[in-house]
Coordinates of all heavy atoms in Angstrom, one line a residue:
M68 N 28.0 27.4 -17.5 CA 27.5 26.9 -18.8 C 27.5 25.4 -18.9 O 28.5 24.8 -19.3 CB 28.4 27.5 -19.9 CG 28.2 29.0 -20.2 SD 29.2 29.5 -21.5 CE 29.4 31.2 -20.9
S69 N 26.5 24.9 -18.4 CA 26.4 23.4 -18.5 C 25.5 23.0 -19.6 O 24.4 23.4 -19.7 CB 25.9 22.9 -17.2 OG 24.6 23.4 -16.9
P70 N 26.1 22.1 -20.5 CA 25.3 21.6 -21.6 C 24.2 20.7 -21.1 O 24.5 19.8 -20.3 CB 26.3 20.9 -22.5 CG 27.4 20.5 -21.5 CD 27.4 21.6 -20.4
S71 N 23.0 20.9 -21.5 CA 22.0 20.0 -21.1 C 22.0 18.8 -22.0 O 21.6 18.8 -23.1 CB 20.6 20.7 -21.1 OG 20.4 21.2 -22.4
K72 N 22.4 17.7 -21.4 CA 22.6 16.5 -22.2 C 21.4 15.7 -22.5 O 21.2 15.1 -23.5 CB 23.7 15.6 -21.6 CG 23.3 15.2 -20.1 CD 24.5 14.4 -19.5 CE 24.2 14.1 -18.1 NZ 25.2 13.3 -17.5
A73 N 20.5 15.8 -21.5 CA 19.3 15.0 -21.7 C 18.0 15.8 -21.5 O 18.0 16.6 -20.5 CB 19.3 13.8 -20.7
R74 N 17.1 15.7 -22.3 CA 15.9 16.4 -22.1 C 15.0 15.7 -21.1 O 14.9 14.4 -21.2 CB 15.1 16.5 -23.5 CG 15.6 17.7 -24.3 CD 14.8 17.8 -25.5 NE 14.8 16.6 -26.3 CZ 14.1 16.4 -27.4 NH1 13.3 17.3 -27.8 NH2 14.1 15.2 -28.0
R75 N 14.4 16.4 -20.3 CA 13.5 15.7 -19.3 C 12.1 15.8 -19.8 O 11.4 16.8 -19.4 CB 13.7 16.3 -17.9 CG 15.0 16.0 -17.3 CD 14.9 16.1 -15.8 NE 16.1 15.6 -15.1 CZ 16.2 15.5 -13.8 NH1 15.2 15.7 -13.1 NH2 17.3 15.1 -13.2
G76 N 11.7 14.9 -20.5 CA 10.3 14.9 -21.0 C 9.5 14.1 -20.0 O 9.8 14.0 -18.9
E77 N 8.5 13.5 -20.6 CA 7.6 12.7 -19.8 C 8.3 11.4 -19.5 O 9.0 10.8 -20.3 CB 6.3 12.5 -20.5 CG 6.5 11.8 -21.8 CD 5.5 12.1 -22.8 OE1 5.4 13.3 -23.3 OE2 4.7 11.3 -23.2
R78 N 8.2 10.9 -18.3 CA 8.8 9.7 -17.9 C 7.9 8.5 -18.4 O 6.7 8.6 -18.3 CB 9.0 9.6 -16.4 CG 10.2 10.4 -16.0 CD 10.6 10.0 -14.6 NE 9.5 10.1 -13.6 CZ 9.6 9.6 -12.4 NH1 10.7 9.0 -12.0 NH2 8.6 9.7 -11.6
P79 N 8.5 7.4 -18.8 CA 7.7 6.2 -19.2 C 7.0 5.7 -17.9 O 7.5 5.9 -16.8 CB 8.8 5.2 -19.6 CG 10.0 6.0 -19.8 CD 9.9 7.2 -19.0
D80 N 5.9 5.2 -18.2 CA 5.1 4.7 -17.1 C 5.2 3.2 -17.0 O 4.8 2.4 -17.9 CB 3.6 5.1 -17.3 CG 2.7 4.7 -16.1 OD1 3.3 4.2 -15.1 OD2 1.5 5.0 -16.1
Y81 N 5.8 2.7 -15.9 CA 6.0 1.3 -15.7 C 5.0 0.7 -14.7 O 5.1 -0.4 -14.3 CB 7.4 1.0 -15.2 CG 8.4 1.5 -16.2 CD1 9.3 2.5 -15.9 CD2 8.6 0.9 -17.4 CE1 10.2 3.0 -16.8 CE2 9.5 1.3 -18.3 CZ 10.3 2.4 -18.0 OH 11.3 2.8 -18.9
G82 N 4.0 1.5 -14.4 CA 3.0 1.0 -13.5 C 3.4 1.2 -12.0 O 4.3 1.9 -11.7
W83 N 2.7 0.4 -11.2 CA 2.9 0.6 -9.8 C 3.1 -0.8 -9.2 O 2.7 -1.8 -9.7 CB 1.6 1.1 -9.1 CG 1.3 2.5 -9.6 CD1 0.7 2.8 -10.8 CD2 1.5 3.8 -9.0 NE1 0.5 4.1 -10.9 CE2 1.0 4.8 -9.9 CE3 2.1 4.1 -7.8 CZ2 1.1 6.1 -9.5 CZ3 2.1 5.5 -7.4 CH2 1.6 6.5 -8.3
V84 N 3.8 -0.8 -8.0 CA 4.1 -2.1 -7.4 C 3.5 -2.0 -5.9 O 3.7 -1.1 -5.2 CB 5.6 -2.4 -7.3 CG1 5.9 -3.5 -6.3 CG2 6.1 -2.7 -8.7
I85 N 2.8 -3.0 -5.6 CA 2.3 -3.2 -4.2 C 3.0 -4.5 -3.7 O 2.8 -5.6 -4.2 CB 0.8 -3.4 -4.2 CG1 0.1 -2.0 -4.7 CG2 0.3 -3.7 -2.8 CD1 -1.3 -2.2 -4.9
S86 N 3.7 -4.3 -2.6 CA 4.4 -5.4 -2.0 C 3.5 -6.0 -0.9 O 2.8 -5.3 -0.2 CB 5.7 -4.9 -1.4 OG 6.5 -4.3 -2.3
F87 N 3.6 -7.3 -0.8 CA 2.8 -7.9 0.3 C 3.6 -9.2 0.7 O 4.3 -9.8 0.0 CB 1.4 -8.3 -0.2 CG 1.4 -9.3 -1.3 CD1 1.2 -10.6 -1.1 CD2 1.5 -8.9 -2.6 CE1 1.1 -11.6 -2.1 CE2 1.5 -9.8 -3.7 CZ 1.3 -11.2 -3.4
G88 N 3.4 -9.4 2.0 CA 4.1 -10.6 2.5 C 3.2 -11.9 2.4 O 2.0 -11.9 2.6
C89 N 3.9 -12.9 1.9 CA 3.2 -14.2 1.8 C 3.4 -15.0 3.0 O 4.6 -15.3 3.4 CB 3.8 -15.0 0.6 SG 3.2 -16.6 0.5
K90 N 2.3 -15.3 3.7 CA 2.4 -16.0 5.0 C 2.9 -17.4 4.8 O 3.5 -18.0 5.7 CB 1.1 -16.0 5.7 CG 0.6 -14.6 6.1 CD -0.7 -14.7 6.8 CE -1.3 -13.3 7.1 NZ -1.8 -12.7 5.8
E91 N 2.6 -18.0 3.7 CA 2.9 -19.4 3.4 C 4.4 -19.6 3.2 O 5.0 -20.6 3.8 CB 2.2 -19.9 2.2 CG 0.6 -19.8 2.3 CD 0.1 -20.5 3.5 OE1 0.5 -21.6 3.8 OE2 -0.8 -19.9 4.2
T92 N 5.0 -18.7 2.5 CA 6.4 -18.9 2.1 C 7.3 -18.0 2.9 O 8.5 -18.1 2.9 CB 6.7 -18.7 0.6 OG1 6.4 -17.3 0.3 CG2 5.8 -19.6 -0.2
G93 N 6.7 -17.0 3.6 CA 7.5 -16.0 4.3 C 8.3 -15.0 3.4 O 9.2 -14.3 3.8
E94 N 7.9 -15.0 2.1 CA 8.6 -14.1 1.2 C 7.8 -12.8 0.9 O 6.6 -12.8 1.1 CB 8.8 -14.8 -0.2 CG 9.7 -16.0 -0.1 CD 9.7 -16.8 -1.4 OE1 8.9 -16.6 -2.2 OE2 10.7 -17.6 -1.5
L95 N 8.5 -11.8 0.4 CA 7.8 -10.6 0.0 C 7.5 -10.7 -1.5 O 8.4 -10.9 -2.3 CB 8.7 -9.4 0.3 CG 8.0 -8.0 0.2 CD1 7.0 -7.9 1.4 CD2 9.1 -6.9 0.3
K96 N 6.3 -10.6 -1.8 CA 5.8 -10.7 -3.2 C 5.5 -9.3 -3.7 O 5.2 -8.4 -3.0 CB 4.6 -11.6 -3.3 CG 4.8 -13.0 -2.8 CD 5.7 -13.8 -3.7 CE 5.7 -15.3 -3.3 NZ 6.7 -16.1 -4.1
R97 N 5.5 -9.3 -5.1 CA 5.2 -8.0 -5.7 C 4.0 -8.2 -6.7 O 4.0 -9.0 -7.5 CB 6.4 -7.5 -6.5 CG 7.6 -7.1 -5.6 CD 8.7 -6.5 -6.5 NE 9.9 -6.3 -5.7 CZ 10.9 -7.2 -5.6 NH1 10.7 -8.3 -6.2 NH2 11.9 -6.9 -5.0
L98 N 3.1 -7.3 -6.5 CA 2.0 -7.2 -7.4 C 2.1 -5.9 -8.3 O 2.2 -4.8 -7.7 CB 0.6 -7.1 -6.6 CG -0.6 -6.7 -7.4 CD1 -1.0 -7.8 -8.4 CD2 -1.8 -6.5 -6.4
K99 N 2.1 -6.1 -9.6 CA 2.1 -5.0 -10.5 C 0.7 -4.6 -10.9 O -0.1 -5.4 -11.2 CB 2.9 -5.3 -11.7 CG 3.0 -4.1 -12.7 CD 3.4 -4.5 -14.1 CE 3.2 -3.3 -15.0 NZ 3.2 -3.8 -16.4
V100 N 0.4 -3.3 -10.8 CA -0.9 -2.8 -11.3 C -0.6 -1.6 -12.3 O 0.2 -0.8 -12.0 CB -1.8 -2.4 -10.1 CG1 -1.1 -1.3 -9.2 CG2 -3.1 -1.9 -10.6
D101 N -1.4 -1.6 -13.4 CA -1.1 -0.6 -14.4 C -1.6 0.8 -14.0 O -1.0 1.8 -14.3 CB -1.8 -1.0 -15.7 CG -1.0 -2.2 -16.3 OD1 0.1 -2.4 -16.0 OD2 -1.6 -2.9 -17.2
T102 N -2.8 0.8 -13.3 CA -3.4 2.1 -13.0 C -3.1 2.5 -11.6 O -2.8 1.6 -10.7 CB -4.9 2.0 -13.2 OG1 -5.4 0.9 -12.4 CG2 -5.3 1.7 -14.6
D103 N -3.0 3.8 -11.4 CA -2.7 4.3 -10.0 C -3.7 3.7 -9.0 O -4.8 4.0 -9.1 CB -2.8 5.8 -10.1 CG -2.3 6.4 -8.8 OD1 -2.1 5.7 -7.8 OD2 -2.2 7.7 -8.7
P104 N -3.1 3.0 -8.0 CA -4.0 2.3 -7.1 C -4.5 3.3 -6.0 O -5.3 2.8 -5.1 CB -3.1 1.2 -6.5 CG -1.7 1.8 -6.6 CD -1.7 2.6 -7.9
S105 N -4.1 4.5 -6.0 CA -4.5 5.4 -4.9 C -5.9 5.8 -4.9 O -6.5 6.3 -4.0 CB -3.6 6.6 -4.9 OG -3.8 7.4 -6.0
A106 N -6.6 5.6 -6.1 CA -8.0 6.0 -6.2 C -8.8 5.2 -5.2 O -9.8 5.7 -4.7 CB -8.5 5.7 -7.6
D107 N -8.5 4.0 -4.9 CA -9.3 3.2 -4.0 C -8.3 2.4 -3.1 O -7.6 1.5 -3.6 CB -10.2 2.3 -4.8 CG -11.2 1.5 -3.8 OD1 -10.9 1.5 -2.6 OD2 -12.2 1.0 -4.3
T108 N -8.3 2.6 -1.8 CA -7.3 2.0 -1.0 C -7.9 0.9 -0.1 O -7.3 0.5 0.9 CB -6.6 3.0 -0.1 OG1 -7.5 3.7 0.7 CG2 -5.7 3.9 -0.9
S109 N -9.1 0.5 -0.5 CA -9.7 -0.6 0.3 C -8.9 -1.9 0.0 O -8.3 -2.1 -1.0 CB -11.2 -0.8 -0.1 OG -11.3 -1.0 -1.5
P110 N -9.0 -2.8 1.0 CA -8.2 -4.1 0.9 C -8.5 -4.9 -0.4 O -9.6 -4.8 -0.9 CB -8.5 -4.9 2.1 CG -9.1 -3.9 3.1 CD -9.7 -2.8 2.2
I111 N -7.4 -5.6 -0.9 CA -7.6 -6.4 -2.0 C -7.3 -7.9 -1.7 O -6.6 -8.1 -0.7 CB -6.6 -6.0 -3.2 CG1 -5.2 -5.9 -2.7 CG2 -7.1 -4.6 -3.7 CD1 -4.2 -5.5 -3.7
D112 N -7.9 -8.8 -2.4 CA -7.6 -10.2 -2.2 C -6.7 -10.7 -3.3 O -7.1 -10.8 -4.5 CB -8.9 -11.0 -2.2 CG -9.7 -10.6 -0.9 OD1 -9.1 -10.5 0.2 OD2 -10.9 -10.5 -1.0
V113 N -5.5 -11.0 -3.0 CA -4.5 -11.3 -4.0 C -4.3 -12.8 -4.1 O -3.9 -13.5 -3.2 CB -3.1 -10.6 -3.7 CG1 -2.1 -11.0 -4.7 CG2 -3.3 -9.1 -3.5
P114 N -4.5 -13.3 -5.3 CA -4.3 -14.8 -5.5 C -2.8 -15.0 -5.7 O -2.2 -14.8 -6.7 CB -5.0 -15.1 -6.9 CG -5.1 -13.8 -7.6 CD -5.1 -12.7 -6.5
C115 N -2.2 -15.4 -4.6 CA -0.7 -15.5 -4.5 C -0.2 -16.7 -5.3 O -1.0 -17.7 -5.4 CB -0.3 -15.6 -3.0 SG 1.4 -15.7 -2.7
P116 N 1.0 -16.7 -5.8 CA 1.5 -17.8 -6.5 C 1.6 -19.1 -5.6 O 1.7 -20.2 -6.1 CB 3.0 -17.4 -6.9 CG 2.8 -15.9 -7.0 CD 1.8 -15.5 -6.0
C117 N 1.6 -18.9 -4.3 CA 1.7 -20.0 -3.4 C 0.4 -20.8 -3.3 O 0.3 -21.9 -2.8 CB 2.0 -19.5 -2.0 SG 0.6 -18.8 -1.0
G118 N -0.7 -20.3 -3.9 CA -1.9 -21.0 -4.0 C -3.0 -20.4 -3.0 O -4.1 -20.8 -3.1
E119 N -2.5 -19.6 -2.1 CA -3.5 -19.0 -1.2 C -3.9 -17.6 -1.7 O -3.3 -17.1 -2.6 CB -2.8 -18.8 0.2 CG -2.4 -20.1 0.9 CD -3.6 -21.0 1.3 OE1 -4.6 -20.4 1.7 OE2 -3.5 -22.2 1.2
V120 N -5.0 -17.1 -1.1 CA -5.4 -15.7 -1.4 C -5.1 -14.9 -0.1 O -5.6 -15.2 1.0 CB -6.9 -15.7 -1.7 CG1 -7.3 -14.2 -1.9 CG2 -7.1 -16.5 -3.0
H121 N -4.3 -13.9 -0.3 CA -3.9 -13.0 0.8 C -4.7 -11.7 0.7 O -4.7 -11.1 -0.3 CB -2.4 -12.8 0.8 CG -1.6 -14.0 0.8 ND1 -1.8 -15.0 1.7 CD2 -0.6 -14.4 0.0 CE1 -0.9 -16.0 1.4 NE2 -0.1 -15.6 0.4
R122 N -5.2 -11.3 1.9 CA -5.8 -10.0 1.9 C -4.7 -8.9 2.2 O -3.8 -9.0 3.0 CB -6.8 -9.9 3.1 CG -7.3 -8.5 3.3 CD -8.7 -8.4 3.6 NE -9.5 -9.0 2.5 CZ -10.9 -8.8 2.5 NH1 -11.5 -8.1 3.4 NH2 -11.6 -9.4 1.5
V123 N -4.6 -7.9 1.3 CA -3.5 -6.9 1.3 C -4.1 -5.5 1.4 O -5.1 -5.2 0.8 CB -2.7 -7.0 0.0 CG1 -1.6 -6.0 0.0 CG2 -2.1 -8.4 -0.2
T124 N -3.5 -4.8 2.4 CA -3.9 -3.4 2.5 C -3.1 -2.6 1.5 O -1.9 -2.7 1.3 CB -3.5 -2.9 3.9 OG1 -4.2 -3.7 4.9 CG2 -4.0 -1.5 4.1
V125 N -3.8 -1.7 0.8 CA -3.1 -1.0 -0.4 C -2.2 0.2 0.0 O -1.1 0.2 -0.4 CB -4.2 -0.6 -1.4 CG1 -3.6 0.2 -2.5 CG2 -4.9 -1.8 -1.9
S126 N -2.8 1.1 0.7 CA -2.1 2.4 0.7 C -0.7 2.5 1.1 O 0.1 3.2 0.5 CB -3.0 3.4 1.5 OG -3.2 2.9 2.8
P127 N -0.3 1.8 2.2 CA 1.1 2.1 2.7 C 2.2 1.5 1.8 O 3.3 1.8 1.9 CB 1.1 1.4 4.0 CG -0.3 1.1 4.4 CD -1.0 0.9 3.1
Y128 N 1.8 0.6 0.9 CA 2.8 -0.2 0.2 C 2.9 0.1 -1.3 O 3.8 -0.4 -1.9 CB 2.4 -1.7 0.3 CG 2.4 -2.1 1.7 CD1 1.2 -2.6 2.3 CD2 3.5 -2.1 2.5 CE1 1.1 -3.0 3.6 CE2 3.5 -2.5 3.8 CZ 2.3 -2.9 4.4 OH 2.2 -3.3 5.7
R129 N 2.1 0.9 -1.8 CA 2.2 1.2 -3.2 C 3.3 2.1 -3.5 O 3.6 3.0 -2.8 CB 0.9 1.8 -3.8 CG 0.6 3.2 -3.3 CD -0.7 3.7 -3.8 NE -1.1 4.9 -3.1 CZ -0.7 6.1 -3.5 NH1 0.2 6.2 -4.5 NH2 -1.0 7.2 -2.9
R130 N 3.9 2.0 -4.7 CA 5.0 2.8 -5.1 C 5.2 2.6 -6.6 O 4.7 1.6 -7.2 CB 6.2 2.6 -4.4 CG 6.7 1.2 -4.5 CD 8.0 0.9 -3.7 NE 8.3 -0.5 -3.6 CZ 8.9 -1.1 -4.6 NH1 9.3 -0.5 -5.7 NH2 9.2 -2.4 -4.4
R131 N 5.8 3.6 -7.2 CA 6.1 3.5 -8.6 C 7.0 2.3 -8.9 O 7.9 2.0 -8.1 CB 6.9 4.7 -9.1 CG 5.9 5.9 -9.3 CD 5.2 5.7 -10.6 NE 4.4 6.9 -11.0 CZ 3.6 6.9 -12.0 NH1 3.5 5.8 -12.8 NH2 2.9 7.9 -12.3
R132 N 6.8 1.7 -10.0 CA 7.6 0.5 -10.4 C 8.8 1.0 -11.2 O 8.6 1.8 -12.1 CB 6.8 -0.5 -11.2 CG 7.6 -1.7 -11.7 CD 6.7 -2.7 -12.3 NE 7.5 -3.7 -13.0 CZ 7.9 -3.6 -14.3 NH1 7.5 -2.6 -15.0 NH2 8.7 -4.5 -14.8
A133 N 10.0 0.4 -11.0 CA 11.1 0.7 -11.8 C 11.0 -0.1 -13.1 O 10.3 -1.0 -13.2 CB 12.4 0.3 -11.0
A134 N 11.8 0.4 -14.0 CA 11.7 -0.1 -15.4 C 11.9 -1.6 -15.5 O 11.2 -2.3 -16.2 CB 12.6 0.6 -16.3
D135 N 12.9 -2.1 -14.7 CA 13.3 -3.5 -14.8 C 12.9 -4.3 -13.6 O 13.5 -5.3 -13.3 CB 14.8 -3.6 -15.1 CG 15.6 -2.9 -14.1 OD1 15.0 -2.2 -13.2 OD2 16.8 -3.0 -14.1
E136 N 12.0 -3.8 -12.8 CA 11.7 -4.4 -11.5 C 10.8 -5.6 -11.8 O 9.8 -5.5 -12.4 CB 11.0 -3.4 -10.6 CG 10.7 -4.0 -9.2 CD 10.2 -2.9 -8.3 OE1 10.1 -1.8 -8.7 OE2 10.0 -3.3 -7.1
P137 N 11.2 -6.8 -11.2 CA 10.4 -8.0 -11.4 C 9.1 -7.9 -10.6 O 9.0 -7.2 -9.6 CB 11.3 -9.1 -10.9 CG 12.2 -8.4 -9.9 CD 12.4 -7.0 -10.4
F138 N 8.2 -8.7 -11.0 CA 7.0 -8.8 -10.1 C 6.4 -10.2 -10.2 O 6.8 -11.0 -11.1 CB 5.9 -7.8 -10.6 CG 5.6 -7.8 -12.1 CD1 4.7 -8.7 -12.6 CD2 6.3 -7.0 -13.0 CE1 4.4 -8.8 -13.9 CE2 6.1 -7.1 -14.3 CZ 5.1 -7.9 -14.8
D139 N 5.6 -10.6 -9.3 CA 5.1 -12.0 -9.2 C 3.7 -12.1 -9.9 O 3.4 -13.2 -10.4 CB 5.0 -12.4 -7.7 CG 6.3 -12.4 -7.0 OD1 7.1 -13.3 -7.4 OD2 6.6 -11.5 -6.3
L140 N 2.9 -11.1 -9.9 CA 1.7 -11.2 -10.6 C 1.3 -9.8 -11.0 O 1.8 -8.8 -10.6 CB 0.6 -11.9 -9.9 CG 0.1 -11.3 -8.6 CD1 -1.3 -11.9 -8.2 CD2 1.1 -11.6 -7.5
E141 N 0.3 -9.7 -12.0 CA 0.0 -8.4 -12.6 C -1.5 -8.3 -12.9 O -2.1 -9.2 -13.3 CB 0.8 -8.4 -13.9 CG 0.5 -7.2 -14.8 CD 1.3 -7.2 -16.1 OE1 1.7 -8.3 -16.5 OE2 1.4 -6.1 -16.7
V142 N -2.0 -7.1 -12.6 CA -3.4 -6.8 -13.0 C -3.4 -5.4 -13.6 O -2.5 -4.6 -13.4 CB -4.3 -6.8 -11.7 CG1 -4.4 -8.2 -11.2 CG2 -3.8 -5.9 -10.7
K143 N -4.5 -5.1 -14.3 CA -4.6 -3.8 -14.9 C -5.1 -2.8 -13.8 O -4.7 -1.7 -13.7 CB -5.6 -3.8 -16.0 CG -5.0 -4.4 -17.3 CD -6.0 -4.2 -18.5 CE -5.4 -4.7 -19.8 NZ -5.2 -6.2 -19.7
S144 N -6.1 -3.3 -13.0 CA -6.7 -2.5 -12.0 C -6.9 -3.3 -10.8 O -7.2 -4.5 -10.8 CB -8.0 -1.9 -12.5 OG -8.8 -1.4 -11.4
L145 N -6.8 -2.7 -9.6 CA -7.0 -3.4 -8.4 C -8.5 -3.9 -8.2 O -8.8 -4.8 -7.4 CB -6.7 -2.5 -7.2 CG -5.2 -2.2 -7.0 CD1 -4.9 -1.4 -5.8 CD2 -4.3 -3.4 -7.1
D146 N -9.4 -3.3 -9.0 CA -10.7 -3.7 -9.0 C -10.9 -5.2 -9.3 O -11.9 -5.8 -8.9 CB -11.6 -2.8 -10.0 CG -11.7 -1.4 -9.5 OD1 -11.5 -1.2 -8.3 OD2 -12.0 -0.6 -10.3
E147 N -10.0 -5.7 -10.1 CA -10.0 -7.1 -10.5 C -9.8 -8.0 -9.2 O -10.2 -9.2 -9.3 CB -8.9 -7.4 -11.5 CG -9.0 -6.7 -12.8 CD -7.8 -7.0 -13.7 OE1 -7.2 -8.0 -13.6 OE2 -7.5 -6.1 -14.5
L148 N -9.3 -7.4 -8.2 CA -9.0 -8.2 -7.0 C -10.0 -7.9 -5.9 O -9.9 -8.3 -4.7 CB -7.6 -7.9 -6.5 CG -6.5 -8.1 -7.5 CD1 -5.1 -7.7 -6.9 CD2 -6.5 -9.6 -7.9
R149 N -11.1 -7.2 -6.2 CA -12.1 -6.9 -5.3 C -13.4 -7.6 -5.8 O -14.2 -6.9 -6.4 CB -12.3 -5.4 -5.1 CG -11.1 -4.8 -4.5 CD -11.4 -3.3 -4.1 NE -10.2 -2.6 -3.6 CZ -9.5 -1.8 -4.3 NH1 -9.8 -1.5 -5.6 NH2 -8.5 -1.2 -3.8
G150 N -13.5 -8.8 -5.6 CA -14.6 -9.5 -6.2 C -16.0 -9.1 -5.5 O -17.0 -9.3 -6.1
G151 N -15.9 -8.6 -4.3 CA -17.1 -8.2 -3.7 C -17.7 -9.2 -2.8 O -18.0 -10.2 -2.8
Ligands
LIG289 ZN1 1.3 -16.6 -0.6

């Protein structure tokens, strides 16, 4: 008889995080995206805080973002980073 202390409802959505390496600073940066990036895994061009634009491959690096996880830049959709 274990009392169920917490109801497991829907989890809050904190978006997704795509990590990418910054060649200029040698640091790992985080890009937050609101919509699930798995719909389109073609490369994106990320305007890095270092001033350069880095080409980033999407699929292997995406994951759910934790509630309090910091990020370096943010977009609603990866389409914003595919200028064409
Ligand atoms: Zn950079």
Side-chain angles (χ1 to χ4, degrees):
M68 287 182 211
S69 57
S71 57
K72 54 184 179 182
R74 276 183 306 176
R75 288 204 175 190
E77 60 210 69
R78 285 197 304 171
D80 187 358
Y81 300 111
W83 300 77
V84 167
I85 294 170
S86 302
F87 63 97
C89 173
K90 296 183 185 74
E91 302 301 316
T92 66
E94 295 174 345
L95 195 66
K96 301 290 188 183
R97 295 186 186 88
L98 165 68
K99 181 198 169 196
V100 56
D101 288 339
T102 55
D103 185 352
S105 66
D107 187 346
T108 56
S109 58
I111 52 177
D112 291 319
V113 181
C115 184
C117 78
E119 298 290 325
V120 174
H121 304 311
R122 172 140 301 195
V123 176
T124 304
V125 175
S126 54
Y128 302 114
R129 70 183 168 82
R130 58 183 170 78
R131 281 281 186 188
R132 176 176 171 266
D135 57 351
E136 186 171 2
F138 51 87
D139 297 289
L140 63 162
E141 176 180 19
V142 293
K143 286 191 177 63
S144 166
L145 294 185
D146 290 340
E147 295 176 32
L148 304 177
R149 295 187 185 104

